[in-house]
Amino acid sequence: MQFRDLKKQYRMLKEDIDSAMLNVVEASNFISGQQVNELEKELAEYVGVKHCITCGNGTDALSMMMMAWNIKEGDAVFVPDFTFFASAEIVAFEGATPVFYDVDMDTFNADVESLEKAILAVKKEGKLVPKAIIAVDLFGQPSDYDRLEEIAKKYDLLLLEDGAQGFGGQIGTRRACSFGDAATTSFFPAKPLGCYGDGGAIFTNDDQIAEYLKSIRVHGKGSFKYDNVRIGWNSRLDTIQAAILLVKLKAFKEFELKAVNNFADNYTVLLKDIVKTPVVAENMYSSWAQYTIQLASKEERNGLQDYLKEQGIPSMVYYPKAMHEQIAFSGNKKYVECPNTKRLCDIVLALPIHPYMENEYIKVSEAIKEYLSSH
């Protein structure tokens, strides 16, 4: 059993993917080929924003927005305590200070009350300048952007949607990566929409920001390749990855997103009386980057994971360590307590889920029931 079966996905889409890759090879237009422009156009239309700027990976996408907003030393950027390291790493990389806030126990996303407390604590202390909020669409579900946008407006802060796991999610009719002042996503292979290597994208409605991002992803270029108007770096999405993503995006829109939601619903039906299953908030739609259950204790979680492994069932812990507990951030001041994050790190367990599961979810659910009934 695969945690996210990319091999089966390839077999299902093989003819189109092989053709797309071969077209790139035959044209030998490996860098900035027309498929990149085509992908950016399709992604922008799907999300519902003016501009999509692709880049080398999801971390670069986040970093490029920090650069675009001139985030620097002395600035505070508010980041969830329960997330992947990159969400905070890119703040520190620019010399600014990530300030961690707690998440909601049900959705795993931003706890807006905790966020506001962190903002007020930083303002009261007066040592850092609050500049931006990063909200993460963890496990596929968008954060509560209605409230987050209110908080950002109230305190005059920029709001960045980290949609690395959220692409395809929705709030009402608005799609993930259309919220806040800008949004980013990742095309890491195991993401809801993944390529065959690294890739990322930024979404914005700001024309000037879009032009800046296009410049810095190619060494700060101006009107042509050897006209460099600013310091940038090299972060382009390869043409072959764009060609693969065009095929996968079509499948994602036509059937994959619906299929993964059906499997998530099936999991919930089978497990809702056994463990705490994921909660999709009202008016929300998830792309199910992960299906994450909660156990009663760390010991129960670890025991279950060991048992599933014995049964040939893969599982993952996203995430075993809070951001504020990472050694890299050991010198950062804690402005608010994050008890939900601390608890979640001990009890979460992600189960196999993908659009091509068939009946594997039944085996997984039965194994969980067997373990918990005997322990």
Side-chain angles (χ1 to χ4, degrees):
M1 186 184 298
Q2 298 291 314
F3 186 73
R4 199 164 188 98
D5 201 337
L6 299 178
K7 294 179 181 178
K8 188 168 185 180
Q9 182 193 48
Y10 171 64
R11 290 195 297 269
M12 294 290 290
L13 306 177
K14 183 179 189 303
E15 184 177 347
D16 289 339
I17 287 177
D18 288 355
S19 176
M21 291 192 293
L22 187 59
N23 286 341
V24 176
V25 175
E26 288 178 339
S28 295
N29 198 353
F30 301 110
I31 304 296
S32 302
Q34 59 89 14
Q35 290 91 337
V36 176
N37 291 332
E38 185 180 345
L39 176 67
E40 290 178 340
K41 181 181 178 181
E42 289 198 20
L43 288 170
E45 289 177 353
Y46 177 75
V47 167
V49 298
K50 287 178 67 176
H51 304 286
C52 171
I53 300 91
T54 55
C55 59
N57 55 70
T59 304
D60 281 2
L62 291 164
S63 289
M64 288 164 68
M65 280 312 306
M66 295 295 99
M67 294 169 68
W69 287 345
N70 194 31
I71 301 299
K72 60 188 182 301
E73 185 176 358
D75 293 340
V77 178
F78 301 88
V79 182
D81 200 29
F82 189 64
T83 186
F84 180 60
F85 187 71
S87 302
E89 176 185 34
I90 53 94
V91 177
F93 188 77
E94 298 302 320
T97 301
V99 175
F100 301 111
Y101 62 90
D102 210 358
V103 298
D104 181 82
M105 284 292 293
D106 289 333
T107 66
F108 310 106
N109 286 332
D111 179 330
V112 180
E113 284 77 17
S114 176
L115 168 62
E116 185 165 23
K117 287 178 182 177
I119 294 169
L120 291 171
V122 170
K123 288 174 71 69
K124 182 178 180 180
E125 183 185 53
K127 292 182 178 180
L128 299 172
V129 180
K131 280 292 183 69
I133 299 165
I134 295 177
V136 179
D137 301 341
L138 208 64
F139 303 154
Q141 181 175 191
S143 291
D144 187 351
Y145 287 102
D146 288 341
R147 297 181 66 198
L148 285 166
E149 288 171 350
E150 288 178 3
I151 290 291
K153 183 178 180 180
K154 180 177 180 180
Y155 295 103
D156 193 25
L157 300 173
L158 294 161
L159 175 59
L160 178 60
E161 177 187 2
D162 180 349
Q165 298 180 21
F167 186 85
Q170 290 181 213
I171 303 177
T173 58
R174 288 185 65 184
R175 288 200 169 103
C177 296
S178 70
F179 300 102
D181 296 287
T184 65
T185 198
S186 167
F187 301 126
F188 183 80
K191 300 298 186 196
L193 177 65
C195 58
Y196 286 169
D198 274 321
I202 305 161
F203 299 87
T204 180
N205 288 311
D206 189 311
D207 296 342
Q208 289 186 323
I209 291 288
E211 288 306 308
Y212 174 85
L213 295 170
K214 290 175 184 177
S215 171
I216 62 169
R217 72 175 171 182
V218 189
H219 303 288
K221 78 177 185 70
S223 59
F224 66 100
K225 182 177 180 180
Y226 299 109
D227 173 35
N228 305 97
V229 298
R230 56 177 59 86
I231 301 299
W233 55 12
N234 181 23
S235 185
R236 299 166 296 198
L237 180 70
D238 290 340
T239 305
I240 202 163
Q241 301 296 350
I244 292 164
L245 283 166
L246 282 166
V247 175
K248 286 196 171 190
L249 178 60
K250 184 173 183 290
F252 184 80
K253 292 189 290 186
E254 290 183 352
F255 63 88
E256 285 189 350
L257 191 54
K258 181 179 179 181
V260 77
N261 269 272
N262 286 337
F263 290 124
D265 289 344
N266 290 338
Y267 261 138
T268 299
V269 168
L270 293 173
L271 294 173
K272 63 182 179 180
D273 297 325
I274 309 299
V275 294
K276 184 174 181 179
T277 53
V279 175
V280 178
E282 187 177 355
N283 205 35
M284 295 270 189
Y285 186 75
S286 178
S287 57
W288 296 106
Q290 279 87 38
Y291 187 93
T292 301
I293 60 173
Q294 297 180 40
L295 285 305
S297 65
K298 185 174 185 178
E299 292 71 26
E300 185 176 78
R301 190 269 308 279
N302 292 348
L304 174 59
Q305 186 173 35
D306 290 342
Y307 179 76
L308 292 177
K309 185 177 181 180
E310 292 170 3
Q311 307 305 309
I313 299 172
S315 63
M316 296 289 290
V317 176
Y318 303 104
Y319 298 96
K321 199 172 185 180
M323 284 297 97
H324 78 269
E325 293 180 337
Q326 299 290 345
I327 293 173
F329 296 129
S330 59
N332 286 43
K333 180 176 178 177
K334 186 189 296 184
Y335 286 89
V336 293
E337 295 296 325
C338 298
N340 292 347
T341 294
K342 184 175 177 60
R343 174 71 174 154
L344 288 170
C345 287
D346 287 343
I347 64 173
V348 293
L349 188 66
L351 308 179
I353 191 166
H354 54 82
Y356 303 91
M357 282 196 79
E358 296 182 355
N359 293 324
E360 291 100 328
Y361 67 90
I362 297 175
K363 178 181 178 181
V364 177
S365 301
E366 289 179 346
I368 293 171
K369 292 177 183 178
E370 288 168 4
Y371 177 81
L372 294 178
S373 64
S374 62
H375 291 75

